[in-house]
Amino acid sequence: MPFSTACGTPLSNFEAGLNYKEVRDPAVVVNFPLVEDEETSFLAWTTTPWTLPSNVALCVHEKLEYVKILDKKSGRKYIVAKTRMCQLYPAMSKKKWKPSMGEELFEILATFPGTELVGKKYVPIFDYFTKDDNASEYFRVLSDNYVTDDAGTGIVHQAPAFGEDDYRVCLAHGVIQKGAELPCPVDGNGMFTEKVPPVKGEHVKKADAKLMEIIKENGRLVQKDNLDHSYPFCWRSDTPLIYKAVPSWFIKVEEIKDRLVENNKKTYWVPNIVKEGRFHNWLVDARDWAVSRNRFWGTPIPIWATDDMSEVICIGSIAELAELSGVTIDDLHREVVDKIEIPSKKTPGVVLKRIDEVFDCWFESGSMPYAQKHYPFENREKFESGFPANFIAEGLDQTRGWFYTLMVLATALFDKPAFQNLIVNGLVQAADGKKMSKRLKNYPDPVVVINKYGADALRMYLINSPVVRAESLKFKEEGVLGVVKEVFLPWYNAFRFMMQNIERFESTGRKFIPSSVKVHGTTNPTDVWISAATQKLIKYVHEEMQAYRLYTVMPELVRFITQLTNWYVRLNRDRLKGAEGDDDDAEVGLQVLYDVLLNMTTVMAPFTPFITEFFYQHLRKMQPSYPEHVNGGGAQNPVKPGKSDSIHYLALPTYDPSRLNENAVEAMEKLQTIVELGRNVREKRLINLKTPVKNVVVILRNPSQNVIDSVTGPLKGYILSELNAWELTIVPRESEHEWVTLSLTPDFKKLGKKFGSKMKTVAATIKSMSHAEAVGVLEKGHLDIEGGTVDALTEMVSKLSFSKEGEQWESASTQEGDAVVAIDCTQDDAILAAGRARELINAIQQLRKNAGLDLKDKVEAFFLENETDPIIEAAVSENVEVFRSKFKGSVPLPKRYAPKWSVEICSENVEVAGSKVQVTLCRPAVAAREGLPDEQTIFLSTLQPYSVETGAELSFSVDGKDLKVKEGVDFWLSTASKLAATKTVVWL
């Protein structure tokens, strides 16, 4: 059995496989002279010199060819396997070796099969066991098929007390007897006993050096080297294991191997390769399980037996023990049960005592499903209705540990697996790929990571890593930060943006109440699309969770958040802010965004429990059921969003198939393709996004009618806005050849096998096709050529390339070549003026933001520029309607027209089209006509525009003098109104 000398107990085979390490051990070749010819010696190779004092036999393979050689350097004669002469002469393993080179090293004296060596006697290295009762059977050559010629000398030394095969072979050949004492000079702590005086009291591993000295002094050491190899360590004490023959209690696993394999087939694993590979192979080769341990602490094995083991009883319960012994207990620790004796029923006067061993703790872990419910003594129905368990998860190292013991015990007891579904976790390593070590401190403190980034970020980082599919993860703190940046911040920003605009909406005196009717009734194409994408996300999460694929969720979540923030919110920012002047439409957009965020928050709650709870506590307050929370909230049924006190009381949302709008998704995907290609084109020509372009031309390969109708209809405005373009042209199929060339490329990997030597001709023909010929092949669906057929869809790659002439055109295409976007990059005066207008708009918006102004706050904007080159005034004059739509009817004006009593809010020098411009924001003020007497202008300077109605006539007195002024004649409610009415500025 694998034996831990630190714990003083045997381990099971699967425990021995839990902790392998790379070690360097001595590797020696020793000689065993033949009794019949002491000039000739058998050579054996071993990496455990400490087992040589216990040697009682040598083993060969009957069918291997062995040689007797003369070593010319030492003059000695040796017997080794012919194919293993390289162990003595390493040069034989090198590429430059030639048979003629061996003449200087050795001479082959004889060749014979292994069978001729069986039974030959040899002289042992040590004589510590030469006087054993069975010594007459010792020190002879045996044979067995386990001997190989892939290492060593082809002759294996046998120490039955320290090797499983050694024990089996020696027992089969009568060298040792079953039940008899073995030649074993090592105690339970791995120390040599007095049977080997030179190393008495030394640990076997430390005794190697001294033993090798003795072997060398006796002339028995032929070769000494070191071997780097993987070696088992005790998983508890982290000390090297040895193999040692010890008495043990076993569970007969080999009898149920076939059932283990069959029950394994009934389980579902992620990843499946562990189930069908490592675990299946382990079950196929399952050995009887050594379940007893020689230690004090542990669960006592409930077996009572007589000293000679003639009568054995296994106790099944406290009640049975009380019945047989007359002693009732409630403490099952060994210091209590070891005192209990059971009278023998077979032999009066004889008592049965509990055996000394305790259970392997893995037996306890494998018993977990039953022990946790105290089955079968309690909870019988509850256990049987819930067995096998739905799901478990543990590390890859448990393949031969917990997963195995669960399967063995469940199969032995119920002929069922203990679990239905299993996620195998990999190991989390340090950033350099090494094992995490407290001593080396080669990993960040988890508490620090959680305090710095949050537990949710760490959870998502691990869930998204290879570690949830049985692969290793090199833990990097920047990966946790990446989750915060890529997931949580965009998610939070979308949530904050919505909350700010709901607050703005409610400031108008209306109440925001979530309404599924409004969400389902919207016709806005982006609303329909993001709702469909949300339902698709919910459906996807359900599917992946049912398949236990945790690692696929976060990539999809990141993609969805990108769609939500970079596309939906971006495309609808002005609409959601109410900047487009339609509060009803703004509310619909906010309803959709609220619905999306609530669904997303609920579906992500199991993955990120803390941030979703934060979102929920804010979102719930808007729900009509929120007031019900004072009566118990989520503690009472039915649970409802709003009423329930926690997001974790809510059920995972189910997707609505009727809202999985594939047409909307398809159309938006095409919009995104067009916009992204358009941005690439702008970058190529270094055209700032603030500068408009005249025309965006789009060529799509076989677009659906849905796509054409969408991008030329409801989505057209979004495309023009995102690309700041004046015109969008979707090229019809019949005009494609005027803009692009369709080219075909053969799939050489697929077609090479089909056409062989003709492939060169086939490729040349396909590549040389004209646009019309290529279109014809795609429409036909295949190409007949050189006696074969090429499938246009699966064996060719089609690609569109822009071919329109003219320097004004710049283009970009998708990697797949199924879409091309070209832009007319002509920059005339109108284009440049529009670009300057866009820059001025951005400057005014930034100034409003810096001043802390809200969308509803009205101001008048004025600009001051170099009057010798009034490019800004020209830009404003040519884009008046653009400014009016952006600023709710207001247009920035030259500062020379500002009333002298205007109250300045803020002013800043900005750069527009390379020129310095002073932009000033002022409170709204009335504007007086030129030449109005001072008494009247002074009175007008005290008025607030919002307090005066259009066309109003105002009466007042100054120094006892009655005066009148009329709006629209003597003054106007804004400077722009005055300039337009008096035609001072013709472009207004």
Side-chain angles (χ1 to χ4, degrees):
M1 296 298 300
F3 193 88
S4 171
T5 58
C7 296
T9 185
L11 303 180
S12 62
N13 286 321
F14 65 81
E15 284 180 292
L18 294 178
N19 187 21
Y20 268 83
K21 294 186 178 185
E22 290 297 317
V23 298
R24 172 167 288 186
D25 277 328
V28 298
V29 175
V30 293
N31 67 62
F32 296 87
L34 276 73
V35 171
E36 64 187 50
D37 177 12
E38 292 197 6
E39 296 295 317
T40 302
S41 299
F42 294 111
L43 295 187
W45 174 82
T46 182
T47 58
T48 54
W50 62 268
T51 62
L52 289 170
S54 308
N55 169 265
V56 292
L58 297 175
C59 190
V60 299
H61 193 297
E62 289 186 349
K63 294 183 179 179
L64 281 182
E65 189 175 27
Y66 291 82
V67 291
K68 178 179 177 180
I69 62 170
L70 172 65
D71 177 54
K72 294 188 175 181
K73 184 177 181 180
S74 65
R76 296 183 176 181
K77 299 172 186 176
Y78 300 129
I79 295 176
V80 296
K82 187 174 184 179
T83 52
R84 294 305 307 162
M85 290 174 63
C86 57
Q87 179 67 48
L88 286 181
Y89 310 108
M92 295 179 71
S93 300
K94 297 180 180 178
K95 291 182 179 180
K96 296 181 180 180
W97 172 262
K98 295 179 182 177
S100 59
M101 298 167 65
E103 296 176 1
E104 300 178 7
L105 301 175
F106 58 82
E107 178 185 350
I108 296 178
L109 304 175
T111 303
F112 30 75
T115 51
E116 291 190 16
L117 300 177
V118 176
K120 291 186 178 293
K121 289 276 193 174
Y122 64 88
V123 179
I125 297 176
F126 298 99
D127 60 1
Y128 303 126
F129 297 100
T130 55
K131 296 181 180 179
D132 279 7
D133 292 341
N134 207 43
S136 59
E137 297 293 334
Y138 293 177
F139 314 126
R140 56 190 173 92
V141 178
L142 317 176
S143 67
D144 192 86
N145 292 339
Y146 94 93
V147 178
T148 64
D149 63 350
D150 57 359
T153 62
I155 302 174
V156 182
H157 109 82
Q158 306 290 291
F162 304 112
E164 188 175 357
D165 284 316
D166 304 40
Y167 180 86
R168 176 182 56 80
V169 172
C170 288
L171 188 64
H173 287 79
V175 176
I176 58 174
Q177 303 300 317
K178 193 168 187 178
E181 186 178 350
L182 296 176
C184 177
V186 177
D187 66 18
N189 294 316
M191 304 294 186
F192 274 104
T193 66
E194 66 282 353
K195 292 183 179 180
V196 184
V199 287
K200 177 186 175 183
E202 287 193 38
H203 190 274
V204 293
K205 283 291 186 179
K206 293 182 179 179
D208 277 337
K210 186 175 289 187
L211 289 170
M212 285 188 290
E213 286 181 19
I214 296 171
I215 293 169
K216 184 178 181 181
E217 290 171 2
N218 292 341
R220 307 296 287 271
L221 184 65
V222 176
Q223 189 181 73
K224 179 184 175 183
D225 202 351
N226 289 313
L227 176 70
D228 294 324
H229 65 138
S230 184
Y231 191 84
F233 276 62
C234 174
W235 64 279
R236 281 188 175 275
S237 63
D238 205 32
T239 55
L241 298 178
I242 65 172
Y243 278 80
K244 189 172 185 286
V246 291
S248 185
W249 291 85
F250 288 82
I251 292 176
K252 293 183 177 179
V253 176
E254 293 178 29
E255 289 186 357
I256 58 171
K257 275 198 299 188
D258 293 343
R259 297 309 308 151
L260 291 174
V261 172
E262 285 304 310
N263 283 331
N264 185 42
K265 293 177 182 178
K266 299 175 185 176
T267 60
Y268 175 83
W269 292 46
V270 174
N272 191 55
I273 191 172
V274 179
K275 167 191 169 182
E276 295 186 351
R278 180 187 292 206
F279 195 64
H280 171 80
N281 295 338
W282 185 251
L283 295 180
V284 168
D285 295 327
R287 308 291 296 275
D288 288 341
W289 175 7
V291 79
S292 61
R293 296 292 177 268
N294 299 94
R295 57 171 74 102
F296 182 81
W297 299 111
T299 300
I301 295 178
I303 293 177
W304 269 254
T306 55
D307 292 340
D308 61 1
M309 300 299 286
S310 61
E311 188 176 352
V312 178
I313 299 174
C314 184
I315 302 299
S317 67
I318 292 175
E320 184 182 358
L321 180 60
E323 179 185 344
L324 295 177
S325 67
V327 179
T328 301
I329 59 171
D330 56 10
D331 184 346
L332 296 178
H333 288 90
R334 69 175 298 174
E335 66 267 25
V336 176
V337 298
D338 282 2
K339 299 173 183 177
I340 299 174
E341 297 179 344
I342 297 176
S344 172
K345 290 184 178 180
K346 294 181 179 179
T347 312
V350 175
V351 295
L352 284 69
K353 296 180 180 180
R354 198 193 72 81
I355 61 173
D356 192 52
E357 291 86 350
V358 296
F359 270 121
D360 171 8
C361 65
W362 289 99
F363 184 89
E364 296 169 301
S365 69
S367 304
M368 177 277 298
Y370 330 108
Q372 68 176 349
K373 289 188 170 62
H374 200 212
Y375 178 85
F377 307 107
E378 296 180 78
N379 306 306
R380 181 181 289 270
E381 290 184 7
K382 188 176 181 181
F383 166 76
E384 292 175 354
S385 63
F387 184 82
N390 292 112
F391 161 71
I392 64 168
E394 249 292 358
L396 180 62
D397 54 339
Q398 296 303 316
T399 306
R400 297 177 180 180
W402 189 44
F403 303 155
Y404 176 70
T405 59
L406 282 173
M407 184 66 76
V408 168
L409 292 182
T411 299
L413 292 170
F414 303 102
D415 195 22
K416 292 180 181 179
F419 52 86
Q420 299 173 47
N421 303 284
L422 166 63
I423 291 178
V424 185
N425 296 321
L427 302 178
V428 181
Q429 301 172 335
D432 58 3
K434 294 180 180 178
K435 185 177 179 180
M436 287 187 170
S437 166
K438 290 181 181 178
R439 179 177 58 84
L440 297 175
K441 296 182 180 178
N442 58 350
Y443 61 92
D445 186 332
V447 175
V448 173
V449 172
I450 290 172
N451 289 339
K452 193 172 181 181
Y453 306 108
D456 281 344
L458 180 58
R459 284 169 66 96
M460 285 302 287
Y461 173 65
L462 293 173
I463 288 171
N464 189 47
S465 74
V467 84
V468 292
R469 55 177 185 269
E471 298 173 22
S472 296
L473 166 67
K474 295 178 182 178
F475 186 91
K476 296 181 180 177
E477 190 174 335
E478 54 266 33
V480 185
L481 175 61
V483 173
V484 175
K485 287 181 175 179
E486 295 176 23
V487 180
F488 294 160
L489 285 180
W491 189 358
Y492 174 76
N493 286 336
F495 164 78
R496 185 179 64 173
F497 177 79
M498 182 199 71
M499 296 298 290
Q500 289 172 338
N501 285 288
I502 287 176
E503 184 180 349
R504 177 205 60 76
F505 174 79
E506 292 189 331
S507 69
T508 64
R510 301 171 67 178
K511 182 71 175 172
F512 180 86
I513 301 174
S515 169
S516 60
V517 173
K518 291 180 180 179
V519 173
H520 294 179
T522 180
T523 57
N524 179 288
T526 58
D527 289 350
V528 175
W529 159 70
I530 197 63
S531 293
T534 304
Q535 297 305 310
K536 189 176 181 181
L537 175 69
I538 295 171
K539 179 174 181 283
Y540 180 82
V541 170
H542 274 283
E543 291 172 347
E544 295 308 289
M545 290 303 93
Q546 286 169 2
Y548 293 85
R549 290 189 289 263
L550 296 175
Y551 54 90
T552 61
V553 173
M554 185 173 157
E556 196 62 28
L557 175 63
V558 172
R559 280 191 287 272
F560 180 81
I561 288 176
T562 300
Q563 295 290 304
L564 179 66
T565 57
N566 290 7
W567 291 102
Y568 180 76
V569 173
R570 178 184 169 87
L571 292 175
N572 291 280
R573 183 169 289 275
D574 287 345
R575 173 189 173 215
L576 295 168
K577 284 182 175 181
E580 295 181 355
D582 187 344
D583 275 346
D584 289 338
D585 191 41
E587 185 199 1
V588 171
L590 290 171
Q591 290 280 0
V592 170
L593 185 53
Y594 178 92
D595 182 70
V596 168
L597 287 174
L598 180 60
N599 273 310
M600 183 181 170
T601 297
T602 311
V603 82
M604 291 309 301
F607 303 93
T608 55
F610 301 106
I611 193 171
T612 51
E613 186 67 35
F614 168 81
F615 289 146
Y616 174 72
Q617 292 304 328
H618 288 79
L619 296 172
R620 67 182 293 216
K621 294 175 183 177
M622 300 172 201
Q623 289 286 336
S625 69
Y626 178 64
E628 298 177 38
H629 82 284
V630 296
N631 297 319
Q636 295 182 8
N637 287 326
V639 293
K640 297 178 188 176
K643 171 194 170 186
S644 297
D645 286 336
S646 171
I647 186 75
H648 304 294
Y649 291 159
L650 303 181
L652 209 63
T654 54
Y655 74 94
D656 181 353
S658 67
R659 297 171 68 192
L660 290 174
N661 194 318
E662 290 300 325
N663 284 343
V665 173
E666 179 192 34
M668 273 302 298
E669 285 176 351
K670 201 58 69 176
L671 174 146
Q672 292 174 18
T673 298
I674 293 169
V675 170
E676 286 169 350
L677 289 175
R679 289 172 182 166
N680 290 342
V681 173
R682 280 180 165 274
E683 289 175 7
K684 285 184 180 180
R685 286 290 182 100
L686 302 178
I687 302 174
N688 192 299
L689 196 57
K690 296 170 186 174
T691 303
V693 292
K694 284 189 172 183
N695 191 11
V696 174
V697 178
V698 178
I699 304 96
L700 302 173
R701 184 73 206 142
N702 293 327
S704 67
Q705 192 60 46
N706 166 61
V707 167
I708 295 173
D709 292 343
S710 297
V711 297
T712 58
L715 295 180
K716 181 177 180 179
Y718 290 107
I719 297 173
L720 292 175
S721 175
E722 282 299 295
L723 293 178
N724 193 10
W726 289 353
E727 189 178 344
L728 174 68
T729 302
I730 305 297
V731 176
R733 187 173 181 181
E734 57 270 16
S735 303
E736 276 184 6
H737 63 281
E738 299 174 10
W739 295 88
V740 294
T741 300
L742 177 66
S743 60
L744 301 177
T745 305
D747 187 324
F748 285 88
K749 190 173 182 180
K750 292 180 180 178
L751 297 178
K753 298 176 182 179
K754 183 184 287 188
F755 289 98
S757 60
K758 298 178 182 178
M759 185 60 210
K760 191 174 182 180
T761 304
V762 171
T765 303
I766 293 174
K767 287 181 177 180
S768 63
M769 286 183 177
S770 66
H771 177 84
E773 289 171 333
V775 170
V777 169
L778 291 186
E779 290 178 346
K780 189 177 180 182
H782 65 275
L783 173 66
D784 296 321
I785 184 173
E786 293 291 333
T789 301
V790 180
D791 186 276
L793 184 64
T794 61
E795 296 177 330
M796 290 186 193
V797 177
S798 61
K799 191 168 186 178
L800 293 173
S801 302
F802 189 73
S803 57
K804 183 84 169 178
E805 294 184 358
E807 292 185 1
Q808 75 271 31
W809 296 106
E810 186 63 73
S811 68
S813 61
T814 59
Q815 190 173 357
E816 299 78 16
D818 59 351
V820 175
V821 170
I823 290 181
D824 182 349
C825 299
T826 303
Q827 297 285 286
D828 55 21
D829 289 342
I831 290 288
L832 294 173
R836 293 166 189 150
R838 184 83 171 253
E839 288 188 53
L840 182 59
I841 288 171
N842 289 345
I844 293 171
Q845 288 176 326
Q846 188 60 47
L847 209 55
R848 286 180 63 97
K849 184 177 180 180
N850 294 345
L853 296 174
D854 194 76
L855 275 171
K856 63 180 180 292
D857 295 327
K858 293 182 179 180
V859 296
E860 289 185 301
F862 298 97
F863 57 86
L864 179 64
E865 64 177 330
N866 185 349
E867 294 190 4
T868 60
D869 185 20
I871 60 171
I872 303 304
E873 185 171 349
V876 174
S877 69
E878 294 181 33
N879 295 277
V880 171
E881 291 308 315
V882 174
F883 285 99
R884 281 179 175 158
S885 66
K886 207 71 180 173
F887 297 125
K888 295 185 176 181
S890 178
V891 179
L893 299 169
K895 194 170 184 180
R896 62 181 179 273
Y897 297 122
K900 58 185 178 182
W901 53 78
S902 289
V903 177
E904 183 178 301
I905 298 173
C906 59
S907 183
E908 191 173 314
N909 289 320
V910 300
E911 190 172 294
V912 177
S915 299
K916 288 289 184 183
V917 181
Q918 184 189 63
V919 179
T920 303
L921 300 184
C922 298
R923 289 181 179 177
V926 298
R929 67 175 167 80
E930 302 301 325
L932 195 67
D934 288 346
E935 296 96 331
Q936 291 167 302
T937 56
I938 290 171
F939 169 73
L940 291 175
S941 69
T942 66
L943 295 180
Q944 296 292 339
Y946 61 79
S947 65
V948 182
E949 294 183 3
T950 303
E953 187 174 87
L954 306 178
S955 299
F956 58 97
S957 77
V958 176
D959 295 332
K961 184 179 180 181
D962 293 331
L963 300 170
K964 291 183 179 181
V965 288
K966 184 177 177 61
E967 195 283 326
V969 177
D970 300 308
F971 73 97
W972 290 264
L973 298 182
S974 69
T975 302
S977 300
K978 168 193 170 182
L979 297 178
T982 60
K983 298 189 178 352
T984 306
V985 176
V986 295
W987 42 266
L988 286 174

